[in-house]
């Protein structure tokens, strides 16, 4: 999804409303390094986050690619609602996603959260002594 958004933002993928279809510039798409491009988009999106969101994602990266909101809140000495509120911008920017689980009566998701960003990239920003 991030790749498609990036291609669209860079004019390499566009929707032709007149013809009702997507069009792309395959020559330019093939000329760029897609993995580098996706990584650059993810890094840019991470850098745009607040310091609190970045800090929470770094801690979550130490847990793994999938993490539970309650566990992250406990590790950060925060309550789950404040933790979720602090992660809102990461959710909106598709850096993490809620994993669907059976319906819950709680107003807070019991769903695990998944990193869109590679845990290895995030964990590299956390000093070993802080893990």
């Amino acid at each position: 999804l991030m790749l498609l958004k990036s291609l669209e933002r860079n004019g390499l993928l566009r929707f032709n409303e007149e013809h009702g279809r997507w069009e792309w510039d395959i020559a330019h798409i093939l000329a760029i390094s897609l993995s580098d491009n996706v990584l650059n988009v993810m890094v840019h999106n991470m850098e745009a986050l607040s310091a609190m969101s970045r800090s929470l994602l770094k801690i979550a990266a130490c847990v793994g690619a999938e993490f539970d909101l309650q566990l992250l809140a406990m590790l950060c000495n925060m309550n789950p609602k404040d933790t979720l509120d602090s992660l809102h911008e990461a959710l909106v920017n598709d850096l993490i996603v809620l994993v669907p689980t059976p319906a819950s009566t709680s107003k807070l998701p019991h769903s695990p959260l998944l990193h869109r960003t590679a845990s290895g990239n995030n964990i590299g920003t956390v000093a070993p002594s802080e893990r």
Side-chain angles (χ1 to χ4, degrees), residues 2 5 9 38-50 53-54 57 89-90 92-95 117:
M2 291 176 72
K5 285 181 179 181
R9 199 173 23 256
V38 172
L39 183 58
N40 288 338
V41 169
M42 290 185 346
V43 167
H44 174 74
N45 287 345
M46 286 287 293
E47 290 173 347
L49 296 176
S50 69
S53 286
R54 284 193 314 270
L57 289 179
E89 62 185 319
V92 169
N93 287 304
D94 294 322
L95 293 169
T117 58

Side-chain angles (χ1 to χ4, degrees), residues 62-109:
C62 295
V63 173
E66 186 173 322
F67 61 95
D68 180 78
L69 179 63
Q70 282 70 23
L71 174 61
L72 182 62
M74 182 187 71
L75 292 172
C76 298
N77 295 319
M78 296 174 67
N79 69 55
K81 183 182 181 327
D82 289 343
T83 305
L84 183 61
D85 289 345
S86 296
L87 289 171
H88 181 262
E89 62 185 319
L91 283 161
V92 169
N93 287 304
D94 294 322
L95 293 169
I96 55 175
V97 294
L98 287 172
V99 176
T101 58
S104 169
T105 56
S106 172
K107 292 184 179 180
L108 291 174

Side-chain angles (χ1 to χ4, degrees), residues 114-115 121:
L114 284 180
H115 287 278
N121 290 339

